[in-house]
Structure formats: structure tokens, C-alpha cells
Amino acid sequence: MDFSVVIDYFPRLMEGAWMTVQLVVVSGILGAALALPIGLARHSNKLWIKALPYSYIFFFRGTPLLVQLFLVYYGLAQFEIVRESIFWSYLREPYWCAIIAFCLNTSAYSAEILRGALASIPKGEIEACRVLGMSKVQMYRRVLLPRAFGMILPAYGNEVILMLKSSALASTITLLDLTGMARTIIARTYTPIEMFLAAGSCYLVLSLIMMGGFRLLEKRFNGHLNAKRKPVAKKINDSSETSSVIAEKVTSC
């Protein structure tokens, strides 16, 4: 194996890595913004409100991401109304098609994660909000959503890392992300093992950075769960010693 090729083409790999980061970050932000109303509607007790979000989540969780990507990239171009719209200048670009497909996919998973977190909040906290006279909007804004945000961080971190690995599918629609750039270099140098090892190492580094970032967020928002409790036995001993001292003073008097 000749790893000098990796050194020679390392700047090109970094260009692909930057494209991968863009895909994950942009689709992640848009997907999170879209997942919030979908998750709230999915959490509703009214059937006519949660029926459409349920169908949306069921479709995007039940079909492969590659199929969704092809439907957006190849399928939308089949409709004349799409080609004549003002959005065609974006929809004909593989970059925005990948963003749309990844955004829709991750929003479905994130919405279901949010729904599960809201459903797991103890009923006592909801009743406490009602006793304090909070409206439904105040209850969600001040208590339920901040509480759910801390609960979904581990699961959402896994979803973002899965999206990072799934972003390699963008290379199937001629987008030069990290995997696409590695395949292009392989076609020129005929060094598949070296380039795929280098691309895999880049994915590992990006995953480590994301895992570290989410762990910092977990410590920030869930630090109270790992807080050390003061030993109760020591307090009991101190109180017993204090009571014995007081008893001695009373008897001496």
C-alpha cells in the first residue's frame, strides 16, 4: 500500500469533508426546526392533529434514505409545475436536493425522539404547572420543552452521528462529499484501500468531535443528574453528636 497518495490528495479530501460538514449541519438545523412542530403535533391527544405527523414520520422512518434522496433528485424534475416554479434553480442542484432529503429524514426521527421525551415527563410536573396557573403555551415554553431538551440529547446525538454516516449517500447524486471525493480520487489513482481508509478516518474524527460536543451539552443541561449527594450518615452522626453535647450542658446546669 502506498499512503503517499493520501498525503498528495489530502487537500481534496478536506474539501470533501467540508462538504460533508455542510450537509450535516445545514440539514440538522433545518430538520430540528421542522421536528419541533411535528413532534408537538404528534404528542397531541387529538386524532385529527396527530394523524398527519404520524403518517409523515411513518413514511420517512419506513423507507430507505437512498430512495428518499432519489425521489427528491430525480422525481421532482418529472413535474412541469416544479420546473417552471421559482424553486427550480435550487431543486436542480444536487446540493439542495441532498439538503432537502436529509432534512426531511432527520426531522422525522427527531420528531419521534421529541414525542417520546414529552411522553416520559412525569404527570406530577404537568399538574404542578396547572396548579401554578400556567397556560399551555407557558407550560411548554418554561417547563416541558426545556425538560424534554435535556432528555433527548443522548438520542439526538446518536441521530446526528447516523446522519453523518448517511451523508455518504450524497455521492450517488454526483455530489463531491467525503465519500464522493474519495471515489473520484480512486478513479484517478487506483488506490481504493488507501483512500477509503483515509475517508473512514475522517469520518471517525468528525464523529469524535460531534460526540464530544454532545457530551458537553449533556453536562451543561443534565449536570444535576450526576451531582454528588452529601452523605446522609455523616449528617446523622453530626446531629447525634450535637444533641449529646446539648444534653450534657442541660444536665450540668
Side-chain angles (χ1 to χ4, degrees):
M1 290 187 293
D2 184 16
F3 285 98
S4 62
V5 179
V6 177
I7 299 175
D8 295 336
Y9 285 92
F10 186 75
R12 299 293 302 277
L13 283 176
M14 290 299 99
E15 293 178 9
W18 174 240
M19 176 62 69
T20 296
V21 171
Q22 289 184 51
L23 291 174
V24 175
V25 172
V26 175
S27 62
I29 293 175
L30 296 177
L34 185 60
L36 180 59
I38 295 175
L40 292 175
R42 179 73 177 85
H43 182 62
S44 175
N45 295 324
K46 298 179 181 179
L47 180 61
W48 63 275
I49 294 179
K50 66 179 182 180
L52 184 59
Y54 176 82
S55 303
Y56 175 89
I57 294 172
F58 178 78
F59 174 79
F60 283 100
R61 292 179 66 195
T63 55
L65 178 57
L66 182 61
V67 174
Q68 300 166 17
L69 186 61
F70 284 168
L71 285 175
V72 175
Y73 184 65
Y74 296 109
L76 292 179
Q78 304 301 317
F79 299 97
E80 185 177 356
I81 189 173
V82 176
R83 296 195 302 269
E84 295 178 354
S85 66
I86 59 175
F87 302 106
W88 178 240
S89 59
Y90 298 98
L91 294 177
R92 67 184 179 184
E93 298 294 333
Y95 176 82
W96 291 109
C97 290
I99 290 292
I100 292 172
F102 293 161
C103 171
L104 296 176
N105 182 272
T106 190
S107 65
Y109 282 93
S110 302
E112 189 64 18
I113 292 173
L114 177 61
R115 183 208 62 82
L118 291 172
S120 63
I121 294 177
K123 294 183 178 180
E125 297 184 15
I126 301 175
E127 293 175 356
C129 294
R130 292 172 179 170
V131 170
L132 292 174
M134 291 185 183
S135 63
K136 203 163 187 179
V137 175
Q138 290 176 333
M139 182 172 61
Y140 274 95
R141 181 169 59 87
R142 296 180 179 179
V143 179
L144 299 187
L145 286 179
R147 183 88 161 83
F149 180 74
M151 297 170 65
I152 69 174
L153 279 176
Y156 185 69
N158 292 334
E159 165 60 21
V160 173
I161 293 174
L162 287 175
M163 181 55 62
L164 170 65
K165 294 185 289 185
S166 300
S167 65
L169 295 175
S171 61
T172 60
I173 56 172
T174 70
L175 200 61
L176 292 180
D177 67 326
L178 185 55
T179 302
M181 188 64 73
R183 293 172 62 182
T184 302
I185 297 172
I186 290 170
R188 296 178 180 177
T189 61
Y190 301 100
T191 53
I193 297 178
E194 293 86 342
M195 296 313 303
F196 279 134
L197 282 176
S201 301
C202 293
Y203 280 114
L204 282 175
V205 172
L206 293 174
S207 298
L208 287 174
I209 294 173
M210 290 183 177
M211 285 189 290
F214 276 99
R215 284 183 180 178
L216 291 176
L217 287 176
E218 289 180 31
K219 290 181 180 180
R220 170 66 178 83
F221 291 96
N222 297 331
H224 60 283
L225 299 177
N226 299 324
K228 295 182 179 180
R229 297 181 178 179
K230 295 182 180 180
V232 180
K234 185 176 180 180
K235 289 185 176 181
I236 296 175
N237 294 334
D238 293 342
S239 60
S240 60
E241 291 176 1
T242 304
S243 59
S244 62
V245 171
I246 295 173
E248 290 178 0
K249 289 183 178 180
V250 170
T251 53
S252 62
C253 293

